[in-house]
Amino acid sequence: MRRIFLSFVLLLVNLGLFAENGHQLWLRNVANGKVTVVCSDKSVTTAIAVQELKDGWQGRDGATITLKIKKDKAIKNDGFKIGTSEIQANTAVGVLYGAYELLRRQQTGEPIEEKIFNPSYQVRTLNHWDNLDGTIERGYAGRSIFWGEEKNLLPPTEQEKQLWKEYARANASIGINGAVLNNVNASPDMLMPEILQRVKEIADVLRPYGIKTYLSVKFSSPSQAGGLENSDPLNPVVRKWWNAKVKEIYQLVPDFGGFLVKANSEGQPGPQDYGRNHADGANMLADALKPFGGIVMWRAFVYASNDKDRAKQAYNEFKPLDGRFRDNVIVQVKNGPIDFQPREPFSPLFGAMKKTSVMPEVQITQEYLGHSIHLVYLAPMWEEMLKADTYQQGEGSTVAKCTDGSIYPQTYTAVAGVANVGLDTNWCGHEFAQSNWYAFGRQAWDHQLTSEQIADEWIKLTFGNAASLQDADWKNNFLAPVKQMMLDSREAAVNYMMPLGFHHIFAAEHHYGPGPWWAPEGVRSDWTPPYYHQASADGVGFNRTRTGSDAVKQYHEPLASQLNDPKTCPENLLLWFHHLPWDYKMKSGRTLWDEICVHYARGLEQVGEFQKVWDKVEKYVDAERFAGVQSKLRAQRRNAQVWNDGCLLYFQQFSKRAIPYNLDRPQHDLDELIQNDMKRFDE
Amino acid sequence: MRRIFLSFVLLLVNLGLFAENGHQLWLRNVANGKVTVVCSDKSVTTAIAVQELKDGWQGRDGATITLKIKKDKAIKNDGFKIGTSEIQANTAVGVLYGAYELLRRQQTGEPIEEKIFNPSYQVRTLNHWDNLDGTIERGYAGRSIFWGEEKNLLPPTEQEKQLWKEYARANASIGINGAVLNNVNASPDMLMPEILQRVKEIADVLRPYGIKTYLSVKFSSPSQAGGLENSDPLNPVVRKWWNAKVKEIYQLVPDFGGFLVKANSEGQPGPQDYGRNHADGANMLADALKPFGGIVMWRAFVYASNDKDRAKQAYNEFKPLDGRFRDNVIVQVKNGPIDFQPREPFSPLFGAMKKTSVMPEVQITQEYLGHSIHLVYLAPMWEEMLKADTYQQGEGSTVAKCTDGSIYPQTYTAVAGVANVGLDTNWCGHEFAQSNWYAFGRQAWDHQLTSEQIADEWIKLTFGNAASLQDADWKNNFLAPVKQMMLDSREAAVNYMMPLGFHHIFAAEHHYGPGPWWAPEGVRSDWTPPYYHQASADGVGFNRTRTGSDAVKQYHEPLASQLNDPKTCPENLLLWFHHLPWDYKMKSGRTLWDEICVHYARGLEQVGEFQKVWDKVEKYVDAERFAGVQSKLRAQRRNAQVWNDGCLLYFQQFSKRAIPYNLDRPQHDLDELIQNDMKRFDE
């Protein structure tokens, strides 16, 4: 019966009659030819590879392809080699990746020649900020696919397992090989035996697809969950507790990946509670994991309220510890020094550490980029970071090179993305938010891929089919404009949210709309936007130059001096590093105030252009996805207006200057926006 | 003490320090010279004239002016003659009007030469739709200045009397000489002795300013309030009751003006309830009023749900009664055949009656034109109606001429405007709504004044002063653009609400936002927008041609034939008279659908332009009024977007055509707008 149903579904898909709900992600093509797959390995993983090739084959009808597990020095880790009739890898997972790569090339029309594909990072992991109660911190696509109060203690249903399998398959298809199953703001309950039982169930489903399971742990678990007197990392009883807990985990999950830890950060407990430092804390866990091959990803996202510049604090705390971490500890550093803003300079911790493994953390879920309402393709933001030059060892010392082991050898290299996945049918809330999941995986595999290449692939896989690849009309009138829209979308968001180096002027709590005014009495100042924008009658921006907080000093020369001078500082980071008068003359010849206005207006205009692009491609898209994206673009346009109006009217109170009269006028009153700033617009 | 306070206030006004709240309307200039006023008449009315001249004198310092009541055949009714040193009139009120005209000319820089000013209509009346509980039907400027449950039975306070006096002065300054104190949907309680006592108090305050008091009466008052068996107009007992009631009123208000009646209309009782006709009903009341010089204004706003075209019904009911009304009855006809829509053709009852007095009724309060939120200057709408050619006696038989007695003699000529006045400090809710009160009075006095002239006067009086009249910068950069904005504003509203002859596609109840979809089951169809727009796959518009309802027949030739042919019908009334396919070719070369889209877009653009105009004039306006208007323009822009989106997305369901891709896209989803259509936006 199930088989008949499936055939029926496939028939509908083929006829284009299946209601399109986005659930298939970028994995929607079906075979249009037959292939014979030869594979001597009998693992479940290679079996998946065989089946995927058969189900998705779009190459020559009647071809034969051989899957081979065979060591080759040129093939690194789970890399692979593709040839015209062969896929070779060191591991079964490498073979599976090779199968996906081959299929992708068939489906996107990329050339298929003999070539080795090696990953940029060994560990390519999603961080799920999922709570045990099923909510997801900063999640905008429904509840957790893993957790839910009532579900946690029950054996998983077949439906759940099916969903986890689809999730694992999607990850494997883009090379993601790790999943941290729970929020970095972790509950000590996570380590309860009943919960670990469910972790095992999940890990069992993910394993065939090459996904290792990781957990976030609360540093105070020994005292909170284990009943110990404290959680001091130098306390032998505590160390013993962790050793035992790790052993318990590995008994359930033999290939368990390790721990992710947020410690002494935003109220989370950590080693500093006991007068110890981050290395002490991380090393204790690393020692427990070491015998089993596990790693610790220790977050550098720390800041106290006792320093004048939050942007400097992670560096100040971690740089002195360089060389004091075990080799299975990786310091996980957010892309920028503050917190996943629409634009930040790269974190100065990239390029700072010489004897410590460092990994970038990016946020796929759009906490600060319009949630799952705004169409914002994030690959350009991450590409900007990965390709930024730290000058650690002279020119060309990009963030990518500082983290992939090519400048300083690291025992482990890794990259993390905060997942945007939830129970929504289309996984990510917004059809185009899927592209960010996709792009993260692709960049994690190959940090030299361009955003344009990735967008091209994703559009073809998500909206195209075998026929459209041959269709000039589709390429010119769908692929090209939609790709351009994606490529422009992050800069548009920067424009209408916080251009020219503005940062963290979000409304509190939801981080969706504008809140440059938000500063209630009693709230620590570095949690309020005025701390970041420093607007006053004399100007705007945070002085991080040598005359200010001297955050520029955390960068290598010649970058430090470039950033220090407003004439050489990139204008898109100007107000990050400089406090400048409202009439400061910009490169355009406009005053700073006018330039700010023009950027907001440009952002509005860009979203309006995206609406036009999307409306024009209606005939190339199924009705459901078309309408869903159209509706969200409308909301994005309305919200961009709120951003424009809120920020300009707020800053105008200080600039005392008119918005240039050639620009469209605000459509909201400032007091109305302030009154509503705690509400997320469009809810 | 009071005197000291007043001097202090005047000082503040002179220093420009007085917080501007709009309460002073167009009466804000203060004398900048001395004048000696000679006046032998000792009436309270001429005393007001003397004081006004002294308080507002801006002519030659030390001049002398003589006020004279002296009959002159060239001066009609309460007209007057102005000379360089004299004001002459038949009546004291005429002298007062002359004083206001002279001051206006001084304040606006108009030439002052010997000239006679005669009114176009004898009776120039405001209809207040004020209820005894203090609410105002279709009022958007606060509660009633006359009524309020608890107040009605108490003697008026000094504050109330002061407000009524200011109201009377404002009216007198623009020639309004009548006020109907209560809603046409009248309560029978209006005729209770206690209420009539308050009517007397109000009339006593209005009288010195030449304002006659009128009342709306409920036709069923004899049975409802008088305890009679019925209210049949041919029942002698009923007639006797009315005679007594009228006598009672005149004992309290010796110059009482008469009655306004809404009968057999929208559920109101009327003579038809007893098998009588409108003439029977009106004549009964006219007979009762006749001995005292009172008149009946009998509304022609009638429609049943039994005819296919509501637009035809007033004509069908009233035309056959031509000649059967007493000479002190005036049939009060709304400007258009439906109901105060943003654009209607003139009512065919203008030019239809040959032996019956007919008066136009316009709506100053913006029921269908954005309430007191949208800036819409209505004079162009009324000018369009007054100057429309009915062809009743060949070319040039304008609506103005058909109602002012120049084509057919009428014992009484009159015009009515539904007031937009309430307890709001600025009287009208929107600063620019004051211009509609002003314009109504000015057009009622002289129906040949242009909208441009009136706007020019109003802006000078409301925002200018003696200095600004001499200031080229003020004239070029304030007066000119603001005037143009006002002149464009009604067409803008038509564009973004219901262009090309669309009508009554408002949301139900509030008549503020769009509701072309509104048609719940069980509601009579002529109360639902689809009745009016007739949108379907084959086209849109109401066929009122000879192949349809033949409403065109109610107009004289050659107009009837012009309207009947889509090629000669003015495009701005096209869908009023024609049902046309979506691809009908317009004069622009565009399809009808594209033309509809372009009009909505143009409306949006126009409001955006108004915002720019207003923001640019900031330095010429006090901060309070500037901010108030700025905020309302923002709301208007947002609401115009709602109109654009709601109408285009709704009609697109039938047209199945894309909104032209060069136009900005909708920012709201149709289903969201439909869900919210019962809410007035911005509340």
Side-chain angles (χ1 to χ4, degrees), chain A residues 608 611-612 615-616 631 634-635 637-638 649 661-670 672, chain B residues 608 611-612 615-616 631 634-635 637-638 649 661-670 672:
Chain A
Q611 288 191 282
K612 287 184 184 176
D615 278 7
K616 275 190 211 170
S631 172
R634 288 171 180 162
R637 178 60 184 71
R638 294 197 302 276
L649 294 175
Y661 291 120
N662 62 321
L663 300 182
D664 285 340
R665 317 317 287 169
Q667 295 179 13
H668 299 86
D669 288 328
L670 183 58
E672 164 217 333
Chain B
Q611 289 191 281
K612 288 185 184 175
D615 278 7
K616 276 189 211 173
S631 172
R634 288 171 180 162
R637 178 62 185 70
R638 295 198 300 277
L649 294 175
Y661 291 118
N662 61 322
L663 301 181
D664 285 340
R665 317 316 289 168
Q667 295 180 13
H668 299 86
D669 287 329
L670 184 58
E672 164 216 334

Side-chain angles (χ1 to χ4, degrees), chain A residues 133-380:
Chain A
D133 66 2
T135 60
I136 302 180
E137 185 168 332
R138 311 305 177 183
Y140 313 106
R143 296 172 70 83
S144 170
I145 63 170
F146 300 122
W147 309 106
E149 249 159 331
E150 64 298 342
K151 297 189 243 177
N152 295 345
L153 306 182
L154 298 173
T157 63
E158 282 309 309
Q159 256 186 325
E160 284 181 305
K161 286 196 200 173
Q162 175 61 26
L163 194 70
W164 298 341
K165 188 174 153 184
E166 289 168 357
Y167 162 82
R169 177 181 177 230
N171 278 333
S173 76
I174 51 176
I176 289 171
N177 66 2
V180 183
L181 301 186
N182 62 312
N183 192 353
V184 288
N185 292 317
S187 163
D189 293 348
M190 196 65 216
L191 298 175
M192 280 171 23
E194 304 87 324
I195 300 295
L196 291 178
Q197 186 56 45
R198 189 167 170 94
V199 171
K200 173 201 159 27
E201 298 275 7
I202 296 167
D204 287 346
V205 178
L206 306 190
R207 187 174 300 110
Y209 286 90
I211 321 276
K212 278 194 181 180
T213 297
Y214 298 75
L215 294 179
S216 294
V217 292
K218 198 174 189 80
F219 196 79
S220 57
S221 294
S223 45
Q224 280 195 268
L228 304 193
E229 217 167 297
N230 61 46
S231 299
D232 181 350
L234 300 193
N235 177 349
V237 184
V238 170
R239 299 175 69 88
K240 200 173 148 197
W241 187 89
W242 278 113
N243 291 343
K245 184 52 76 176
V246 165
K247 195 172 165 195
E248 179 189 346
I249 295 171
Y250 275 93
Q251 273 162 359
L252 293 163
V253 185
D255 59 344
F256 181 69
F259 292 145
L260 170 63
V261 191
K262 176 178 181 178
N264 291 126
S265 163
E266 297 185 321
Q268 289 296 331
Q272 294 173 344
D273 302 351
Y274 308 99
R276 319 303 181 188
N277 63 34
H278 287 289
D280 297 329
N283 291 345
M284 168 190 65
L285 296 173
D287 290 344
L289 289 160
K290 181 85 174 178
F292 306 97
I295 63 172
V296 173
M297 294 172 285
W298 189 269
R299 291 175 100 230
F301 178 65
V302 298
Y303 60 102
S305 58
N306 57 5
D307 188 69
K308 277 187 190 145
D309 186 358
R310 171 173 162 187
K312 292 170 66 182
Q313 297 184 47
Y315 181 102
N316 287 346
E317 277 200 48
F318 278 82
K319 180 75 162 68
L321 300 174
D322 189 17
R324 296 180 53 190
F325 292 96
R326 300 281 189 271
D327 73 349
N328 62 335
V329 173
I330 315 185
V331 176
Q332 180 167 319
V333 178
K334 289 189 181 184
N335 57 290
I338 299 283
D339 190 12
F340 298 136
Q341 298 301 291
R343 171 166 276 119
E344 299 192 34
F346 65 85
S347 166
L349 271 173
F350 298 122
M353 308 290 258
K354 298 187 176 180
K355 291 169 275 177
T356 304
S357 298
V358 171
M359 63 184 281
E361 174 183 338
V362 298
Q363 196 178 34
I364 308 169
T365 191
Q366 292 167 244
E367 174 179 358
Y368 293 102
L369 283 139
H371 296 187
S372 285
I373 295 172
H374 294 205
L375 189 162
V376 184
Y377 174 56
L378 297 173

